[in-house]
């Protein structure tokens, strides 16, 4: 439990540090400064992915209904042993 807690704290602090660098840091390399904007096929892929992420966030039972029967079966199997 101590190792898991330590790992969780380190991962959270690294995520915050990385987010700060990405959102507020200056571009120091020439490659980053000369990057072009998204191409149309990249934009469509990003929009489709964002749509599905939002859809599952708003209506998660789309995925949960698929696994409900097997989950109930697993609960019944585990519950009968105890």
């Amino acid at each position: 439990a101590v190792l898991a807690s330590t790992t969780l704290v380190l991962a959270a602090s690294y995520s915050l540090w990385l987010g700060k660098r990405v959102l507020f840091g200056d571009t120091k390399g020439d490659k980053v400064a000369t990057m072009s904007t998204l191409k149309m096929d990249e934009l469509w892929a990003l929009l489709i992915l964002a749509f599905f992420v939002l859809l599952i966030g708003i209506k998660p039972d789309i995925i949960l209904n698929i696994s409900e029967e097997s989950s109930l079966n697993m609960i019944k199997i585990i519950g009968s042993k105890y």
Side-chain angles (χ1 to χ4, degrees):
V2 173
L3 180 63
S5 301
T6 305
T7 304
L8 185 64
V9 169
L10 288 175
S13 61
Y14 176 73
S15 296
L16 290 171
W17 173 77
L18 182 65
K20 186 184 106 181
R21 286 191 59 197
V22 168
L23 294 174
F24 303 115
D26 295 331
T27 55
K28 294 185 173 104
D30 292 335
K31 290 183 180 180
V32 176
T34 59
M35 290 177 83
S36 63
T37 60
L38 289 175
K39 296 176 180 66
M40 191 55 72
D41 55 345
E42 296 168 339
L43 180 64
W44 278 110
L46 181 64
L47 289 175
I48 291 170
L49 181 64
F51 170 76
F52 282 114
V53 166
L54 287 173
L55 179 68
I56 291 174
I58 293 170
K59 192 160 174 55
D61 51 327
I62 294 172
I63 299 293
L64 295 177
N65 286 343
I66 295 171
S67 64
E68 181 180 15
E69 187 175 338
S70 60
S71 297
L72 291 174
N73 189 29
M74 186 63 72
I75 290 169
K76 186 170 37 171
I77 290 171
I78 294 172
S80 67
K81 291 183 180 182
Y82 297 103

